[in-house]
Amino acid sequence: MMANKALQLNPKSTKSMVAKSLYYTLKGNFVESRKLLKQALELDPLSFMAKRAQADNYFLERKYEKAIELYDELIELDPYHEKALEYRGWSVVMLGHLDEAIDRFKSMDVHTTLTLKSYSQIGYAYAIKGDSENAMRCIAEIEKNAAINKGMTYALDFAVVYAGLGEFEKAMDQLEEAVENKRSAIVFTKVHPIWDPIRNEPRFKAVLTLK
């Protein structure tokens, strides 16, 4: 494994420790991940990368209040950091504060340079809220982007909104396409909380083995 080799070559590398912690996080081993991030921050207390990995770890461990606390610290350092803003928004979604989450995602679009904007995140929040009309509008916006940007895959974005709508067969169709197109974010499906409702379904488990 690359992260192990990097640690062996440079055991005092914060970057290598963060990479290894991500490996454990994606395996669902949050305890080991947290140990490595603690060591990384002891070596470099100012490491933005390690702090963000720590916040992500808490989010994926479903410790949303703690994650929000850390994301707020990161956003204070970098108010326009896309991933910190996005996962701060996801944390709010998971706590059920859907109107706040929608506002946060929309604000993120104004202040960052995201190509697709936050249609999948906003669509998911609308769907969970029970506002299927606005959720479908977000799907329409993703479809527009897909028609314009022929070389890009938007399957994961569609899957997220369909999951929020409870249309899990459609979500699975899109997840399988995302795997086929090697969408990088697909690696987080194993641990991201939006997939908890179908985590034990055979078709979802099969997708995890395809990555």
Side-chain angles (χ1 to χ4, degrees), residues 135-178:
M136 292 306 297
R137 283 179 181 152
C138 290
I139 285 179
E141 291 296 335
I142 298 170
E143 288 173 342
K144 287 180 187 177
N145 279 273
I148 293 168
N149 303 303
K150 299 288 188 182
M152 295 180 65
T153 177
Y154 293 89
L156 187 57
D157 304 283
F158 286 119
V160 167
V161 185
Y162 282 130
L165 289 166
E167 297 187 29
F168 294 120
E169 289 302 312
K170 288 183 179 179
M172 286 306 312
D173 290 341
Q174 297 295 331
L175 275 180
E176 288 166 356
E177 183 178 333

Side-chain angles (χ1 to χ4, degrees), residues 192-209:
H192 200 294
I194 65 172
W195 306 112
D196 285 352
I198 57 172
R199 194 164 301 286
N200 293 320
E201 293 296 321
R203 195 175 171 193
F204 184 80
K205 288 182 176 180
V207 163
L208 297 180
T209 65

Side-chain angles (χ1 to χ4, degrees), residues 69-138:
E69 179 184 327
L70 295 176
Y71 286 128
D72 283 343
E73 292 178 10
L74 292 167
I75 292 165
E76 187 175 349
L77 293 170
D78 183 353
Y80 306 120
H81 192 279
E82 293 171 2
K83 286 302 178 183
L85 290 167
E86 178 186 354
Y87 275 84
R88 209 293 187 186
W90 275 123
S91 299
V92 175
V93 169
M94 296 305 154
L95 289 173
H97 307 314
L98 301 173
D99 288 328
E100 179 188 348
I102 290 165
D103 288 343
R104 283 185 174 277
F105 287 136
K106 288 181 178 179
S107 176
M108 183 175 79
D109 289 346
V110 172
H111 295 297
T112 65
T113 57
L114 291 172
T115 303
L116 181 58
K117 303 303 180 184
S118 299
Y119 293 125
S120 61
Q121 296 95 325
I122 294 169
Y124 181 91
Y126 274 129
I128 293 297
K129 187 182 175 183
D131 187 346
S132 58
E133 183 177 349
N134 272 315
M136 292 306 297
R137 283 179 181 152
C138 290

